Amino acid sequence: MYVILVYDIGEKRVGKMLKLCRKYLSWIQNSVFEGDITEVRLKELILGAEKIMKKEEDDSLIIFSSRSDKFLEKQIIGKERSSTDNFL
């Protein structure tokens, strides 16, 4: 499945969340990640994120999912921070 993940968490926890999300997805902009991921790995990511988050401090995680990136149209205006293309 293809996901776009966006988080908004307290400053003290941003580094941990960034490190966690980079294990699973490609970083594309501040607090925004995208990429192909299996359901099992997505569940691992969510469980890890829930351990970092403090809901009482209004931390949030939003995940948009689709069967494939082919069903999404992406338009980049300005500089692309990180290309999601993988070259071997």
Side-chain angles (χ1 to χ4, degrees), residues 58-75:
D58 295 328
D59 289 353
S60 66
L61 178 71
I62 301 170
I63 300 170
F64 301 91
S65 62
S66 176
R67 283 186 258 160
S68 168
D69 64 336
K70 294 175 184 158
F71 294 106
L72 297 173
E73 183 177 327
K74 179 168 82 170
Q75 181 178 13

Side-chain angles (χ1 to χ4, degrees), residues 20-80:
L20 173 70
C21 291
R22 280 187 168 174
K23 284 180 172 178
Y24 296 91
L25 299 168
S26 298
W27 176 71
I28 58 169
Q29 194 168 3
N30 295 344
S31 305
V32 181
F33 294 80
E34 71 176 347
D36 286 309
I37 190 169
T38 65
E39 287 187 42
V40 171
R41 288 186 50 84
L42 180 58
K43 287 179 184 178
E44 288 174 5
L45 172 55
I46 292 169
L47 287 172
E50 287 177 334
K51 290 178 182 175
I52 295 169
M53 295 170 61
K54 292 190 178 180
K55 293 177 185 170
E56 65 274 4
E57 294 187 28
D58 295 328
D59 289 353
S60 66
L61 178 71
I62 301 170
I63 300 170
F64 301 91
S65 62
S66 176
R67 283 186 258 160
S68 168
D69 64 336
K70 294 175 184 158
F71 294 106
L72 297 173
E73 183 177 327
K74 179 168 82 170
Q75 181 178 13
I76 299 168
I77 300 168
K79 183 178 179 183
E80 183 175 13

